[in-house]
Amino acid sequence: MSVRTTGTTVSSAGSAMTAPARQMTNDDKELEKMILREEKEEDRHVQHALKDLQSAQKAGNRSVKAADKAMHLVDKAHTTEHKTAKALSKATSKHDDAVSGIGNAERNLGIKQRHQTQLEEDVEKKKIMLEQTQKLKDQHDNVRNAKRAEMLGYGPNSGSPVNTDGTA
């Protein structure tokens, strides 16, 4: 910025230059005012541009921080997804094992039920066989008792009563 006084011009650097002294006319004064106005206007534009630059730099810094934060969130989401996939795999494996266990248990149940049915059939056959064997034994006992009674003289020819139930 420079200010003009009579005969001496002082620059913004502070150095004085000597010039011939001359009286300023109205046109010169208007020109000086216009120059000062332009200079002031340009200073305001420079200050405004500087503020815009600083604001843009701050926005850029915030953008870098936001992108970094977003990247960390993406990494965290990937980690969470990996852990969840691992848990899902483990749960799927447990489910498959449980399904397999159900199949094995059902097969074992079928085998045991068939075995139980076979044993029940065997018990029924043995009961029938026992009844038949007891009937046969009773018949044989009666025959033996009759022979014994006949040998001892208690038979039907001797006139003595013989028990048919196998008791003497």
Side-chain angles (χ1 to χ4, degrees), residues 142-161:
N142 287 338
V143 169
R144 278 190 293 273
N145 285 338
K147 283 184 185 178
R148 198 175 287 131
E150 201 178 303
M151 276 189 330
L152 296 174
Y154 299 111
N157 294 338
S158 63
S160 306

PDB file of all heavy atoms in Angstrom, residues 142-161:
ATOM      1  N   ASN A 142     -49.657-139.712  34.508  1.00  0.00           N
ATOM      2  CA  ASN A 142     -50.881-140.502  34.671  1.00  0.00           C
ATOM      3  C   ASN A 142     -50.663-141.940  34.198  1.00  0.00           C
ATOM      4  O   ASN A 142     -51.107-142.901  34.853  1.00  0.00           O
ATOM      5  CB  ASN A 142     -52.046-139.867  33.904  1.00  0.00           C
ATOM      6  CG  ASN A 142     -52.561-138.609  34.581  1.00  0.00           C
ATOM      7  OD1 ASN A 142     -52.348-138.440  35.774  1.00  0.00           O
ATOM      8  ND2 ASN A 142     -53.249-137.768  33.824  1.00  0.00           N
ATOM      9  N   VAL A 143     -49.974-142.059  33.062  1.00  0.00           N
ATOM     10  CA  VAL A 143     -49.704-143.404  32.536  1.00  0.00           C
ATOM     11  C   VAL A 143     -48.812-144.156  33.521  1.00  0.00           C
ATOM     12  O   VAL A 143     -49.055-145.331  33.855  1.00  0.00           O
ATOM     13  CB  VAL A 143     -49.066-143.334  31.135  1.00  0.00           C
ATOM     14  CG1 VAL A 143     -48.536-144.694  30.690  1.00  0.00           C
ATOM     15  CG2 VAL A 143     -50.064-142.794  30.132  1.00  0.00           C
ATOM     16  N   ARG A 144     -47.773-143.492  34.024  1.00  0.00           N
ATOM     17  CA  ARG A 144     -46.861-144.152  34.973  1.00  0.00           C
ATOM     18  C   ARG A 144     -47.595-144.527  36.260  1.00  0.00           C
ATOM     19  O   ARG A 144     -47.415-145.632  36.806  1.00  0.00           O
ATOM     20  CB  ARG A 144     -45.672-143.244  35.294  1.00  0.00           C
ATOM     21  CG  ARG A 144     -44.566-143.277  34.258  1.00  0.00           C
ATOM     22  CD  ARG A 144     -43.307-142.562  34.732  1.00  0.00           C
ATOM     23  NE  ARG A 144     -43.471-141.119  34.894  1.00  0.00           N
ATOM     24  CZ  ARG A 144     -43.316-140.220  33.926  1.00  0.00           C
ATOM     25  NH1 ARG A 144     -42.983-140.631  32.715  1.00  0.00           N
ATOM     26  NH2 ARG A 144     -43.501-138.951  34.159  1.00  0.00           N
ATOM     27  N   ASN A 145     -48.422-143.630  36.730  1.00  0.00           N
ATOM     28  CA  ASN A 145     -49.169-143.923  37.971  1.00  0.00           C
ATOM     29  C   ASN A 145     -50.130-145.096  37.752  1.00  0.00           C
ATOM     30  O   ASN A 145     -50.328-145.925  38.653  1.00  0.00           O
ATOM     31  CB  ASN A 145     -49.923-142.682  38.450  1.00  0.00           C
ATOM     32  CG  ASN A 145     -48.985-141.664  39.070  1.00  0.00           C
ATOM     33  OD1 ASN A 145     -47.891-142.019  39.510  1.00  0.00           O
ATOM     34  ND2 ASN A 145     -49.411-140.407  39.092  1.00  0.00           N
ATOM     35  N   ALA A 146     -50.696-145.103  36.569  1.00  0.00           N
ATOM     36  CA  ALA A 146     -51.619-146.213  36.280  1.00  0.00           C
ATOM     37  C   ALA A 146     -50.854-147.525  36.233  1.00  0.00           C
ATOM     38  O   ALA A 146     -51.313-148.555  36.756  1.00  0.00           O
ATOM     39  CB  ALA A 146     -52.341-145.956  34.956  1.00  0.00           C
ATOM     40  N   LYS A 147     -49.686-147.524  35.615  1.00  0.00           N
ATOM     41  CA  LYS A 147     -48.868-148.743  35.558  1.00  0.00           C
ATOM     42  C   LYS A 147     -48.439-149.139  36.952  1.00  0.00           C
ATOM     43  O   LYS A 147     -48.470-150.331  37.314  1.00  0.00           O
ATOM     44  CB  LYS A 147     -47.629-148.531  34.689  1.00  0.00           C
ATOM     45  CG  LYS A 147     -47.897-148.559  33.221  1.00  0.00           C
ATOM     46  CD  LYS A 147     -46.582-148.432  32.458  1.00  0.00           C
ATOM     47  CE  LYS A 147     -46.812-148.339  30.979  1.00  0.00           C
ATOM     48  NZ  LYS A 147     -45.591-148.176  30.232  1.00  0.00           N
ATOM     49  N   ARG A 148     -48.032-148.162  37.740  1.00  0.00           N
ATOM     50  CA  ARG A 148     -47.590-148.436  39.102  1.00  0.00           C
ATOM     51  C   ARG A 148     -48.748-149.018  39.925  1.00  0.00           C
ATOM     52  O   ARG A 148     -48.563-149.985  40.693  1.00  0.00           O
ATOM     53  CB  ARG A 148     -47.101-147.127  39.728  1.00  0.00           C
ATOM     54  CG  ARG A 148     -46.245-147.354  40.938  1.00  0.00           C
ATOM     55  CD  ARG A 148     -45.661-146.063  41.506  1.00  0.00           C
ATOM     56  NE  ARG A 148     -44.579-145.527  40.671  1.00  0.00           N
ATOM     57  CZ  ARG A 148     -44.459-144.269  40.242  1.00  0.00           C
ATOM     58  NH1 ARG A 148     -45.338-143.367  40.577  1.00  0.00           N
ATOM     59  NH2 ARG A 148     -43.463-143.908  39.494  1.00  0.00           N
ATOM     60  N   ALA A 149     -49.893-148.434  39.733  1.00  0.00           N
ATOM     61  CA  ALA A 149     -51.059-148.896  40.487  1.00  0.00           C
ATOM     62  C   ALA A 149     -51.430-150.315  40.040  1.00  0.00           C
ATOM     63  O   ALA A 149     -51.828-151.154  40.856  1.00  0.00           O
ATOM     64  CB  ALA A 149     -52.225-147.946  40.268  1.00  0.00           C
ATOM     65  N   GLU A 150     -51.294-150.538  38.780  1.00  0.00           N
ATOM     66  CA  GLU A 150     -51.600-151.864  38.266  1.00  0.00           C
ATOM     67  C   GLU A 150     -50.599-152.879  38.799  1.00  0.00           C
ATOM     68  O   GLU A 150     -50.974-154.009  39.136  1.00  0.00           O
ATOM     69  CB  GLU A 150     -51.554-151.809  36.732  1.00  0.00           C
ATOM     70  CG  GLU A 150     -52.312-152.905  36.060  1.00  0.00           C
ATOM     71  CD  GLU A 150     -52.262-152.748  34.574  1.00  0.00           C
ATOM     72  OE1 GLU A 150     -52.673-151.670  34.068  1.00  0.00           O
ATOM     73  OE2 GLU A 150     -51.783-153.657  33.920  1.00  0.00           O
ATOM     74  N   MET A 151     -49.347-152.444  38.878  1.00  0.00           N
ATOM     75  CA  MET A 151     -48.330-153.349  39.406  1.00  0.00           C
ATOM     76  C   MET A 151     -48.571-153.653  40.884  1.00  0.00           C
ATOM     77  O   MET A 151     -48.329-154.755  41.344  1.00  0.00           O
ATOM     78  CB  MET A 151     -46.926-152.718  39.285  1.00  0.00           C
ATOM     79  CG  MET A 151     -46.308-152.931  37.948  1.00  0.00           C
ATOM     80  SD  MET A 151     -44.564-152.444  37.839  1.00  0.00           S
ATOM     81  CE  MET A 151     -44.275-151.176  38.915  1.00  0.00           C
ATOM     82  N   LEU A 152     -49.040-152.681  41.567  1.00  0.00           N
ATOM     83  CA  LEU A 152     -49.260-152.868  42.993  1.00  0.00           C
ATOM     84  C   LEU A 152     -50.648-153.450  43.281  1.00  0.00           C
ATOM     85  O   LEU A 152     -50.998-153.657  44.424  1.00  0.00           O
ATOM     86  CB  LEU A 152     -49.076-151.544  43.747  1.00  0.00           C
ATOM     87  CG  LEU A 152     -47.664-150.965  43.693  1.00  0.00           C
ATOM     88  CD1 LEU A 152     -47.627-149.591  44.339  1.00  0.00           C
ATOM     89  CD2 LEU A 152     -46.667-151.874  44.405  1.00  0.00           C
ATOM     90  N   GLY A 153     -51.408-153.601  42.286  1.00  0.00           N
ATOM     91  CA  GLY A 153     -52.704-154.232  42.458  1.00  0.00           C
ATOM     92  C   GLY A 153     -53.823-153.241  42.708  1.00  0.00           C
ATOM     93  O   GLY A 153     -54.851-153.618  43.240  1.00  0.00           O
ATOM     94  N   TYR A 154     -53.665-151.997  42.379  1.00  0.00           N
ATOM     95  CA  TYR A 154     -54.745-151.033  42.572  1.00  0.00           C
ATOM     96  C   TYR A 154     -55.417-150.658  41.252  1.00  0.00           C
ATOM     97  O   TYR A 154     -56.198-149.739  41.218  1.00  0.00           O
ATOM     98  CB  TYR A 154     -54.221-149.722  43.174  1.00  0.00           C
ATOM     99  CG  TYR A 154     -53.590-149.886  44.529  1.00  0.00           C
ATOM    100  CD1 TYR A 154     -52.236-149.719  44.718  1.00  0.00           C
ATOM    101  CD2 TYR A 154     -54.400-150.199  45.623  1.00  0.00           C
ATOM    102  CE1 TYR A 154     -51.682-149.851  45.960  1.00  0.00           C
ATOM    103  CE2 TYR A 154     -53.836-150.341  46.864  1.00  0.00           C
ATOM    104  CZ  TYR A 154     -52.484-150.147  47.033  1.00  0.00           C
ATOM    105  OH  TYR A 154     -51.946-150.286  48.271  1.00  0.00           O
ATOM    106  N   GLY A 155     -55.178-151.321  40.216  1.00  0.00           N
ATOM    107  CA  GLY A 155     -55.657-150.973  38.899  1.00  0.00           C
ATOM    108  C   GLY A 155     -57.144-151.183  38.722  1.00  0.00           C
ATOM    109  O   GLY A 155     -57.839-151.666  39.613  1.00  0.00           O
ATOM    110  N   PRO A 156     -57.679-150.939  37.576  1.00  0.00           N
ATOM    111  CA  PRO A 156     -59.110-151.058  37.315  1.00  0.00           C
ATOM    112  C   PRO A 156     -59.567-152.533  37.362  1.00  0.00           C
ATOM    113  O   PRO A 156     -60.715-152.797  37.632  1.00  0.00           O
ATOM    114  CB  PRO A 156     -59.290-150.471  35.917  1.00  0.00           C
ATOM    115  CG  PRO A 156     -57.935-150.225  35.344  1.00  0.00           C
ATOM    116  CD  PRO A 156     -56.966-150.378  36.432  1.00  0.00           C
ATOM    117  N   ASN A 157     -58.678-153.478  37.174  1.00  0.00           N
ATOM    118  CA  ASN A 157     -59.060-154.880  37.214  1.00  0.00           C
ATOM    119  C   ASN A 157     -59.192-155.383  38.639  1.00  0.00           C
ATOM    120  O   ASN A 157     -59.848-156.360  38.891  1.00  0.00           O
ATOM    121  CB  ASN A 157     -58.019-155.720  36.473  1.00  0.00           C
ATOM    122  CG  ASN A 157     -58.015-155.381  34.985  1.00  0.00           C
ATOM    123  OD1 ASN A 157     -58.994-154.877  34.498  1.00  0.00           O
ATOM    124  ND2 ASN A 157     -56.922-155.651  34.334  1.00  0.00           N
ATOM    125  N   SER A 158     -58.573-154.691  39.573  1.00  0.00           N
ATOM    126  CA  SER A 158     -58.603-155.176  40.949  1.00  0.00           C
ATOM    127  C   SER A 158     -59.770-154.590  41.730  1.00  0.00           C
ATOM    128  O   SER A 158     -59.986-154.972  42.875  1.00  0.00           O
ATOM    129  CB  SER A 158     -57.295-154.871  41.656  1.00  0.00           C
ATOM    130  OG  SER A 158     -57.112-153.480  41.737  1.00  0.00           O
ATOM    131  N   GLY A 159     -60.483-153.670  41.211  1.00  0.00           N
ATOM    132  CA  GLY A 159     -61.645-153.099  41.873  1.00  0.00           C
ATOM    133  C   GLY A 159     -61.326-151.915  42.735  1.00  0.00           C
ATOM    134  O   GLY A 159     -62.183-151.377  43.380  1.00  0.00           O
ATOM    135  N   SER A 160     -60.098-151.488  42.859  1.00  0.00           N
ATOM    136  CA  SER A 160     -59.767-150.299  43.659  1.00  0.00           C
ATOM    137  C   SER A 160     -59.831-149.059  42.793  1.00  0.00           C
ATOM    138  O   SER A 160     -59.486-149.098  41.614  1.00  0.00           O
ATOM    139  CB  SER A 160     -58.351-150.370  44.196  1.00  0.00           C
ATOM    140  OG  SER A 160     -58.096-151.503  44.888  1.00  0.00           O
ATOM    141  N   PRO A 161     -60.254-147.984  43.413  1.00  0.00           N
ATOM    142  CA  PRO A 161     -60.304-146.738  42.618  1.00  0.00           C
ATOM    143  C   PRO A 161     -58.889-146.179  42.368  1.00  0.00           C
ATOM    144  O   PRO A 161     -58.050-146.229  43.243  1.00  0.00           O
ATOM    145  CB  PRO A 161     -61.114-145.767  43.480  1.00  0.00           C
ATOM    146  CG  PRO A 161     -60.991-146.304  44.871  1.00  0.00           C
ATOM    147  CD  PRO A 161     -60.759-147.782  44.756  1.00  0.00           C
TER     148      PRO A 161
END
